[in-house]
Amino acid sequence: MSNPTFNIDVHYLTRVEGHGNIKVDVKNGEVKECVWEIPEAPRFFEAMVRGRSWNEVATITSRICGICSIAHTFASLKATEAAMGIQLSKQTLKLRKLLLHAENLQSHVLHIGYLALPDFAGVKSVIPLASSHSQEVLTVVRLHRLANELCDLVGGRTTHPNTTVVNGFTRLPDAKRLKEFQDKCKNSFGDLRAVATLLKALSKNIPAFERETEYIGLTSKEEYAIYDGQIGSTDTGVHPVDEYRTIVNEYVVPQSTAKYCKHNRDAYLVGALARFNLNYDQLSPVAKEIAADLGLKAPCYNPFMNTVAQLVECVYSVEDCIRLIDEVLADGLKEEDRSFAIKAGRGVGVVEAPRGILIHDYTYDDKGICREANCVIPTNQNHANIQKDMEALLPGIMNKSKEEITLHLEMLGRAYDPCISCSTHLLKVEFV
Amino acid sequence: MGIHLAQALEQMSLPEGVRVIDGGTGGLSLLYALEKTGKAIFLDAAEMSKDPGTFMRFTLEEARIAGDKLNLSLHELGLHQVLELAKSLGISCEVVFYGIQPKDLDWGIGLSPEVEQAIPHILDAVMREVQGLLP
C-alpha cells in the first residue's frame, strides 16, 4: 500500500447542518483531487431584507439559521442599533449576553453529544449510542434541555427569539424563574464533568493532526468575548469591527455555492477553537480546569480539538450565566424606555455565534428602510480552512484503509460543526 | 404546511391538557415535548404518492418513514431519528401522524388550492381524535 490508488466520494456528509461533499482521487500515491464541495442552494436573505423596515429585519435574518438564530438576531439588532446610534442599557446588555450563552450551550451540546461523540465512540449515530451509553446520552439530553429552558425564559421561545428587539426587550424574564434557572446551572457541573470524562475516555480516537493557521474571533479587554469586542487575529492583532471587509475578503471558488474567505494566509479558522486560542486567559476557572484535564492548551493547532474547545466553552457559558444572573437580580429587573429616533446610516453588528464570528452590515435610509445588507457567516469563513486541512491531512493517512480515510475526512468536516445552509450565497453576475 | 395547521388549531377551542406546538424544524426540541406527553399527533406534509390534499392517519408501525431522502430537513436530527432516540431512551409516548400530500415543494408562499381545501377536513379529523382522548 505504499502507492495507493483509491477514490472517495462522500455525497452529503452526514451529521452536519446542510450539504457538503468530500471528493478524493488518489492514483499511485499521488493526490489528483481532494475537494470539500458545497452544493447547497443559495438563500437570498440579504435581498429579502432590502426594502424592509428596521423593525422587521432581525425577525427575517433570524431565520437564516435554526441553531444559531439568537446570534443572527443579535448581529442584526446590533447592526441596526449601530446605524441608528442607539446605546443599550446595562440590563439589555446583560440579558442579551445571557441569551447568547444559552444558545452557545445549546448548540455546543448538540454538536458534542449528538453529532461528534458517535465518531469518537465508533458508531454511526446517537441512536446506537443511546443503547451503549444510555446514561451519558441522558446527561447530554439534560444539558441540552437546560440550555433550551434559558432560551425560552429570556428569548420567549427555544429558537428564533421573540422578546428581543431593537433597543431592548418586549418582555422581561421572571426574576423567580431566573433564580431557579441559576440553581439548575449550579447543579449542572456534575453533568458537564461527566461529558468531559466521557470525552477524555474516548480521546484516543481524536486524530493527532496539526496544521497551524490564522485564528480569528471577537476579542475584548473586558471578558472572554462572545457578545462585544473587536476583531482579533492570532496573526495580525486587533482590528475595529467596521473594517471587517478587510478581514474576511470573501471570494468565490468553482466547487462551492458558499463564498470562501482569507486574511493573512490562504485560509483562517473561526469558532470555539479560534476563541480559545485568542482569549484563553479570560476563561472562567472551571472552564480552564476542564481544558487542562482534557489536554487542551492554547494555542492548539488540531482542528479535531474544536469539539473539546466547545465543551470548555459550555462550562464557561454556565459559569458566566451564574454570574450574570447574580448581577441582573441584584440590579433588579425593570421595564425600560425603548424609544429612539430613526435616522439614516450604516451599521455593522458583530457577535460570536457558536460556530464563529458572525457579521451583519446594514444601510438604512431616513425612513428606517433597509437599503443594503451584507451577512458574513462563520461557516463561510471556515470553508477554505476545511479545504486546506483536508489537503494536509490526506497524505498522512493514505496508507490506512479506504473506510478509515473516509472516516477521518468526514470527522474533520464534522469537527468544524459546519452550518452549510447558513453559509451559501449566490454570486451576482452581470455580463458586459 | 404544519405551521398553517398549528396556527389554525391554536384558534380552536381545545380540551384542557392539549397543547399545540409549532415544532418548526425542531429536531431535538421535539424530544423534550415528547418526554412529558402521553400522546403526540404530528401534522405535516408527507410524500405519500397520493393526490394533492389527500390526508392519511397512520402510526409508526403502519408506515416506514424514509430518511432525509428529500433533504428538506434544515437542521440536526430528522423526525424519524428523534422518535428512534426517544424510544432508545425509554420515552414512551404514543405517536400518531396525519400526513397531507403536498402538491408542490418548490419555493413559494402559501398553500396550493388543493391543500387549502383539505384543511377543514384535516382539522375535523384531528379534533375528533383529540376529543377521543378525553375520559
Side-chain angles (χ1 to χ4, degrees):
Chain A
M1 283 285 284
S2 56
N3 288 310
T5 293
F6 61 91
N7 203 285
I8 291 170
D9 185 5
V10 179
H11 190 72
Y12 295 163
L13 173 64
T14 55
R15 279 186 275 135
V16 297
E17 192 293 315
H19 305 136
N21 303 332
I22 300 168
K23 282 187 178 165
V24 171
D25 185 16
V26 174
K27 282 197 175 65
N28 298 319
E30 192 188 337
V31 179
K32 299 280 185 192
E33 186 184 37
C34 173
V35 179
W36 168 241
E37 193 181 72
I38 308 299
E40 184 100 3
R43 310 281 301 284
F44 307 113
F45 272 90
E46 289 135 330
M48 280 183 217
V49 296
R50 278 190 216 132
R52 294 287 188 160
S53 169
W54 61 272
N55 59 2
E56 296 175 303
V57 172
T59 311
I60 296 168
T61 52
S62 147
R63 294 279 166 175
I64 291 174
C65 188
I67 297 181
C68 50
S69 63
I70 294 170
H72 275 288
T73 301
F74 288 159
S76 180
L77 293 175
K78 283 181 79 174
T80 300
E81 286 155 356
M84 309 273 172
I86 296 166
Q87 292 292 323
L88 291 183
S89 72
K90 280 185 182 166
Q91 174 176 287
T92 296
L93 206 52
K94 284 174 188 173
L95 289 175
R96 283 195 186 171
K97 283 181 186 175
L98 204 50
L99 193 48
L100 199 55
H101 276 310
E103 179 171 85
N104 207 39
L105 184 63
Q106 186 188 45
S107 173
H108 283 353
V109 169
L110 170 75
H111 179 246
I112 298 163
Y114 296 102
L115 307 177
L117 270 183
D119 274 336
F120 302 149
V123 293
K124 291 277 181 203
S125 80
V126 71
I127 314 289
L129 205 62
S131 304
S132 63
H133 294 74
S134 62
Q135 286 313 308
E136 288 84 350
V137 173
L138 283 169
T139 305
V140 168
V141 168
R142 274 197 299 276
L143 287 170
H144 195 247
R145 192 199 294 120
L146 180 78
N148 279 4
E149 277 177 30
L150 185 57
C151 293
D152 290 343
L153 181 56
V154 183
R157 54 185 175 186
T158 313
T159 48
H160 310 297
N162 55 12
T163 58
T164 176
V165 293
V166 173
N167 201 20
F169 279 78
T170 54
R171 197 185 70 214
L172 296 173
D174 177 66
K176 187 167 160 272
R177 287 187 64 201
L178 267 183
K179 181 72 193 128
E180 285 167 4
F181 179 81
Q182 191 192 41
D183 291 338
K184 287 184 185 173
C185 283
K186 287 176 181 168
N187 291 329
S188 71
F189 288 102
D191 282 347
L192 289 163
R193 285 184 198 279
V195 177
T197 304
L198 177 63
L199 211 49
K200 194 176 176 182
L202 298 172
S203 62
K204 62 179 189 308
N205 297 330
I206 299 177
F209 162 76
E210 288 194 340
R211 187 182 72 85
E212 188 185 346
T213 187
E214 183 181 7
Y215 299 87
I216 289 182
L218 274 186
T219 193
S220 162
K221 285 181 182 154
E222 313 292 321
E223 58 193 357
Y224 186 93
I226 61 164
Y227 182 82
D228 259 334
Q230 292 185 294
I231 301 173
S233 153
T234 47
D235 279 359
T236 61
V238 178
H239 306 265
V241 294
D242 288 348
E243 291 173 16
Y244 78 90
R245 281 182 191 272
T246 66
I247 305 289
V248 303
N249 302 299
E250 290 181 303
Y251 63 102
V252 291
V253 292
Q255 77 222 47
S256 170
T257 48
K259 288 178 187 168
Y260 277 39
C261 293
K262 61 180 171 187
H263 179 233
N264 194 48
R265 309 182 188 207
D266 50 10
Y268 66 85
L269 184 147
V270 300
L273 190 63
R275 293 188 289 260
F276 180 86
N277 281 346
L278 278 163
N279 304 319
Y280 167 79
D281 288 342
Q282 292 158 301
L283 274 172
S284 48
V286 185
K288 277 185 177 166
E289 182 199 316
I290 299 267
D293 191 38
L294 289 169
L296 181 65
K297 290 182 196 142
C300 169
Y301 302 134
N302 180 353
F304 290 96
M305 291 296 273
N306 187 48
T307 307
V308 176
Q310 287 182 330
L311 180 62
V312 170
E313 284 198 340
C314 286
V315 180
Y316 166 66
S317 280
V318 170
E319 287 183 282
D320 210 41
C321 279
I322 294 170
R323 180 188 69 81
L324 283 163
I325 293 173
D326 268 340
E327 287 187 18
V328 166
L329 294 179
D331 296 345
L333 285 157
K334 51 195 168 297
E335 295 293 337
E336 294 177 321
D337 179 14
R338 289 187 279 112
S339 62
F340 64 94
I342 292 168
K343 64 171 194 172
R346 181 182 163 205
V348 177
V350 184
V351 295
E352 281 288 340
R355 284 155 202 79
I357 191 164
L358 167 68
I359 303 155
H360 284 217
D361 173 2
Y362 307 140
T363 302
Y364 286 98
D365 67 15
D366 57 1
K367 305 251 177 340
I369 302 296
C370 183
R371 292 298 169 202
E372 275 302 324
N374 186 29
C375 302
V376 185
I377 312 297
T379 296
N380 273 107
Q381 300 172 71
N382 274 334
H383 282 317
N385 212 64
I386 297 173
Q387 174 66 45
K388 294 293 165 196
D389 274 353
M390 283 188 178
E391 289 168 12
L393 176 68
L394 184 59
I397 56 171
M398 235 149 36
N399 284 325
K400 292 181 184 288
S401 70
K402 186 178 163 180
E403 288 71 28
E404 282 178 294
I405 299 168
T406 307
L407 178 63
H408 270 68
L409 292 170
E410 287 183 339
M411 279 173 72
L412 177 63
R414 279 197 280 270
Y416 280 81
D417 189 9
C419 198
I420 299 167
S421 302
C422 288
S423 73
T424 44
H425 287 52
L426 191 66
L427 177 66
K428 189 177 167 189
V429 183
E430 284 177 0
F431 294 102
V432 288
Chain B
M1 196 175 297
I3 191 167
H4 291 277
L5 292 162
Q7 284 172 354
L9 280 167
E10 274 171 352
Q11 303 305 315
M12 298 169 81
S13 150
L14 294 163
E16 205 175 314
V18 178
R19 267 195 315 155
V20 179
I21 298 170
D22 170 10
T25 57
L28 280 165
S29 55
L30 293 174
L31 189 70
Y32 312 122
L34 292 174
E35 270 181 323
K36 303 162 196 156
T37 306
K39 177 171 181 170
I41 303 172
F42 285 91
L43 306 168
D44 212 343
E47 179 47 62
M48 303 177 294
S49 306
K50 303 279 180 195
D51 291 333
T54 306
F55 71 96
M56 293 185 72
R57 179 197 183 278
F58 53 91
T59 63
L60 260 184
E61 293 71 35
E62 288 166 342
R64 206 156 49 93
I65 300 178
D68 288 331
K69 220 174 169 184
L70 283 169
N71 287 301
L72 291 174
S73 179
L74 278 179
H75 286 110
E76 41 171 295
L77 304 186
L79 176 61
H80 65 298
Q81 290 167 307
V82 170
L83 293 173
E84 231 180 297
L85 184 61
K87 207 168 140 191
S88 305
L89 293 173
I91 297 168
S92 58
C93 169
E94 187 189 346
V95 173
V96 172
F97 298 90
Y98 279 77
I100 304 109
Q101 179 67 46
K103 184 180 183 184
D104 183 5
L105 292 177
D106 217 333
W107 292 70
I109 294 175
L111 299 171
S112 64
E114 288 90 335
V115 171
E116 196 86 61
Q117 282 164 17
I119 281 192
H121 304 292
I122 301 162
L123 293 174
D124 266 359
V126 172
M127 284 305 276
R128 276 200 301 277
E129 174 127 20
V130 168
Q131 300 291 348
L133 290 173
L134 300 177

